[in-house]
Amino acid sequence: MFGKSESFELDKLRVGFTFKFQKVEWEILEVGEYDWRGDGRSIEYKIQSKNNEIAYLEVERYRGDIEVYFSEEITIDSSILENAIQEKSIVYLAKEYSLEENYRGVYKNITNSGSWEDLESYVFYKKDMMFTIEKWADGSYESFCGMELKKSAIKNIKAN
């Protein structure tokens, strides 16, 4: 029993699980799923730190490997986001991000048994940082800024 720790697959976590990232403990509040219609599926965890910061951890299996993304939601006027999609670039915090990926798919909040919602995702990059714009079927937008992580950056996963 001593010295043995449980091992969890990053794409199989549930509400209430905790983990550490950059020495901060996070708890999973909600679990959602994306189906990218032929480009794979991903799981997204809405997470909260002990300091009540809200962020997102997205986990995707791609060609047998796990890709992990950490991001925080950014509030930006929809006209700026529309322009960024048209221009294929956006400046945020004095960094210019370039559009490199675009996906269409559906999203479902598994925690609250939501229904599938259509969306289009635009992913802009600046070196190891990423800026994502999600355009929903109802015409609304959400935006996020974050980074891709090595799965080893997620430590000390515990089921509660």
Side-chain angles (χ1 to χ4, degrees):
M1 181 111 179
F2 293 104
K4 190 175 183 180
S5 67
E6 293 184 71
S7 176
F8 296 101
E9 293 287 327
L10 281 181
D11 59 346
K12 305 277 189 249
L13 306 181
R14 296 183 303 277
V15 171
F17 275 52
T18 60
F19 62 86
K20 286 200 173 177
F21 168 60
Q22 294 183 336
K23 300 181 183 178
V24 174
E25 187 171 311
W26 296 87
E27 180 179 354
I28 296 175
L29 301 178
E30 293 180 5
V31 179
E33 181 178 2
Y34 290 93
D35 179 345
W36 297 112
R37 297 182 176 154
D39 285 323
R41 296 173 91 83
S42 57
I43 298 295
E44 179 182 76
Y45 304 110
K46 181 177 182 179
I47 56 178
Q48 182 174 6
S49 72
K50 296 293 181 189
N51 297 330
N52 293 321
E53 297 168 277
I54 299 291
Y56 297 87
L57 189 73
E58 187 172 349
V59 180
E60 180 178 355
R61 283 201 182 271
Y62 182 73
R63 296 183 180 168
D65 290 327
I66 293 279
E67 293 182 353
V68 183
Y69 306 93
F70 177 87
S71 63
E72 296 177 278
E73 189 166 6
I74 307 299
T75 302
I76 295 179
D77 186 84
S78 61
S79 64
I80 294 171
L81 300 176
E82 290 170 2
N83 187 59
I85 293 167
Q86 291 284 328
E87 300 294 322
K88 298 182 176 23
S89 71
I90 188 166
V91 175
Y92 178 70
L93 296 179
K95 292 182 182 161
E96 184 173 359
Y97 295 81
S98 299
L99 180 62
E100 291 185 24
E101 299 173 8
N102 176 227
Y103 303 100
R104 288 181 187 267
V106 290
Y107 170 83
K108 180 178 184 173
N109 184 314
I110 296 168
T111 303
N112 64 21
S113 301
S115 58
W116 288 101
E117 300 175 62
D118 291 324
L119 79 147
E120 193 162 1
S121 180
Y122 302 86
V123 187
F124 300 74
Y125 289 93
K126 170 71 174 177
K127 295 189 181 185
D128 58 347
M129 297 295 294
M130 56 194 283
F131 189 98
T132 304
I133 299 173
E134 292 180 346
K135 181 179 180 183
W136 296 89
D138 66 3
S140 66
Y141 290 87
E142 291 180 316
S143 55
F144 305 86
C145 192
M147 66 189 102
E148 185 171 355
L149 312 174
K150 293 186 185 311
K151 66 181 181 180
S152 62
I154 306 300
K155 301 183 182 309
N156 203 23
I157 300 170
K158 294 181 183 175
N160 289 340

